[in-house]
Amino acid sequence: MSIKPLSALNTRIDIEQRERAALAPYAMTVAASRGRAHSTRPDPFRTEFQRDRDRIVHARSFRRLQGKTQVFIDGEGDHFRNRLTHTIEVAQVSRGAARRLGLNEDLVECIALVHDLGHPPFGHRGEDMLASLMEQYGGFEHNRQSLRVVEELEVRYPEHPGLDLSYEVRESIMKHGSRYDPARTEQRFQPGERPLLEAQLTDALDSVVYDCHDIDDGLRGGYIALSQLAELPLWDAAWREAIDASPRAAPEKLLLDRALRHLMDALIDDCCTATLARLAADHIAGLAGVRAATRPLVVQSQSMAERKNELEQFLLQNLYRHHLVNASFHRARRMLADVFAFYTDHPDALPPEHVARARTAGLHRTIADYLAGMTDRFALDEHRRLCA
């Protein structure tokens, strides 16, 4: 038997062959990709989804995620999550679950890394403000903005705008969300086709990740208390499991870390088990079955979904709407509105590249692009500079 030289053990062709052999029949293989908008020479050692991952990680918009709010505005604490750390956690968790389900890990990682690129500063409150400001000018929604970023706003190649990501990554951006709505999907992304399992999995685990890390940040920041969480069956079970598995004198902060791990494991385990059951119940035997499915295929069990929803309602009322969090975001929303109004009245004050884009994209869309790309700190600085 001939043995390949070490330099040729992991060519692109080898990876694609292993992919076809290892993945489940309902997974998305890179060989079945619908390709890119612009033709490129194949890479000898990376598949197209691996190239997509590298293009996303090297994008300027990806780096700016480190300065964008998850729950707490940048600068309020060194250990609170931001959009970048959240994105990395989603990618890590999603890859592990994809491996368990026989899905395409590289594609899942791409979807996780790209899914929040269009988020503006100041989290969902910032998105709500931009949506309000843009209501008469085409609206604003972070999924569509993420697609706009990777197709137009990131300029990395002289031949074309955007990152030129694979169809499946861009489609997954458009169809991102816990409930897929064909009416909101552009025709070029086939509204009648349900999202790939890789996209559905990333969407599902996105919420699992932020549920767990928002509890962590909320407790450590003093916004919520363990005594409040104890009333929630899902958290209480994880906390008791952590105590049972720990030495009697374990510090509370280490019990918290362990309880969060148990909580995340329980949610992921349930998701994988319920998803396999749903795939079997709906007789999904291949990719065509995924596309034609009449209901979501990546799911939690009914009992877990109910307990998860109870936990999320608790976080909404006690963390996301905490009076101190509200105060920070009200100030931030006002600042975004002020900066938007300033550039609307003084478009010649925009940076030159944005002035040029306004001629084709329109002034208000260009201002929204500019504001959406800002980090929290840059937006605060712009407000001080322009509106003080």
Side-chain angles (χ1 to χ4, degrees), residues 38 52 54-65 68 113-114 116-118 144-165 173 353-354 357 369 372-374:
H38 305 275
D52 285 344
D54 297 345
R55 292 180 179 198
I56 296 163
V57 168
H58 288 279
R60 296 177 183 88
S61 52
F62 182 78
R63 295 197 295 274
R64 288 198 299 271
L65 292 177
K68 292 190 176 187
L113 292 174
V114 82
D116 271 354
L117 290 192
R144 291 180 178 274
Q145 189 66 17
S146 294
L147 191 61
R148 188 165 169 76
V149 168
V150 302
E151 290 189 332
E152 298 183 45
L153 302 181
E154 278 282 344
V155 181
R156 300 297 303 274
Y157 304 96
E159 297 85 2
H160 56 76
L163 300 179
D164 193 26
L165 302 180
I173 296 172
E353 65 271 22
H354 295 283
R357 186 180 299 119
D369 289 340
M374 292 179 179

Side-chain angles (χ1 to χ4, degrees), residues 194-234:
R194 189 163 287 276
L196 296 165
L197 287 176
E198 286 81 0
Q200 295 185 46
L201 179 67
T202 308
D203 289 346
L205 295 186
D206 182 24
S207 70
V208 167
V209 169
Y210 66 63
D211 285 347
C212 293
H213 69 46
D214 289 352
I215 290 172
D216 189 20
D217 287 349
L219 285 170
R220 295 180 191 279
Y223 293 86
I224 55 177
L226 281 170
S227 58
Q228 294 173 286
L229 283 167
E231 299 177 8
L232 302 172
L234 187 57

Side-chain angles (χ1 to χ4, degrees), residues 129-370:
M129 175 52 73
L130 274 183
S132 176
L133 294 168
M134 288 293 293
E135 187 174 4
Q136 299 179 33
Y137 309 104
F140 181 91
E141 196 269 331
H142 81 268
N143 291 340
R144 291 180 178 274
Q145 189 66 17
S146 294
L147 191 61
R148 188 165 169 76
V149 168
V150 302
E151 290 189 332
E152 298 183 45
L153 302 181
E154 278 282 344
V155 181
R156 300 297 303 274
Y157 304 96
E159 297 85 2
H160 56 76
L163 300 179
D164 193 26
L165 302 180
S166 299
Y167 172 91
E168 291 71 27
V169 177
R170 293 180 292 116
E171 176 206 14
S172 297
I173 296 172
M174 170 59 67
K175 296 179 179 179
H176 176 68
S178 57
R179 294 186 179 181
Y180 170 55
D181 182 2
R184 296 174 60 83
T185 300
E186 295 179 17
Q187 286 298 318
R188 62 193 174 113
F189 291 115
Q190 307 300 320
E193 294 184 347
R194 189 163 287 276
L196 296 165
L197 287 176
E198 286 81 0
Q200 295 185 46
L201 179 67
T202 308
D203 289 346
L205 295 186
D206 182 24
S207 70
V208 167
V209 169
Y210 66 63
D211 285 347
C212 293
H213 69 46
D214 289 352
I215 290 172
D216 189 20
D217 287 349
L219 285 170
R220 295 180 191 279
Y223 293 86
I224 55 177
L226 281 170
S227 58
Q228 294 173 286
L229 283 167
E231 299 177 8
L232 302 172
L234 187 57
W235 173 260
D236 187 59
W239 182 254
R240 291 180 182 277
E241 190 175 356
I243 291 175
D244 292 343
S246 303
R248 186 164 298 183
E252 186 176 88
K253 64 181 181 180
L254 296 183
L255 290 175
L256 172 58
D257 286 338
R258 177 161 283 176
L260 287 164
R261 289 196 294 272
H262 286 313
L263 175 61
M264 183 172 287
D265 287 346
L267 287 163
I268 295 171
D269 289 346
D270 180 86
C271 180
C272 290
T273 301
T275 295
L276 289 172
R278 176 65 62 90
L279 291 168
D282 288 10
H283 307 290
I284 305 299
L287 197 56
V290 173
R291 292 300 202 178
T294 57
R295 60 177 180 168
L297 298 172
V298 177
V299 293
Q300 302 278 175
S301 66
Q302 182 175 343
S303 61
M304 182 62 83
E306 290 172 356
R307 285 178 285 164
K308 183 173 181 288
N309 181 65
E310 183 182 32
L311 175 62
E312 290 171 349
Q313 288 301 309
F314 168 85
L315 290 172
L316 176 63
Q317 296 300 326
N318 295 278
L319 178 60
Y320 308 142
R321 293 181 178 170
H322 189 283
H323 70 280
L324 295 178
V325 175
N326 282 339
S328 294
F329 280 123
H330 287 318
R331 291 195 300 271
R333 282 166 55 87
R334 188 187 69 244
M335 286 185 284
L336 276 182
D338 289 347
V339 175
F340 188 94
F342 177 89
Y343 281 122
T344 301
D345 292 339
H346 308 285
D348 57 344
L350 283 164
E353 65 271 22
H354 295 283
V355 172
R357 186 180 299 119
R359 298 189 188 106
T360 55
L363 176 61
H364 296 92
R365 178 59 59 193
T366 299
I367 295 171
D369 289 340
Y370 187 39

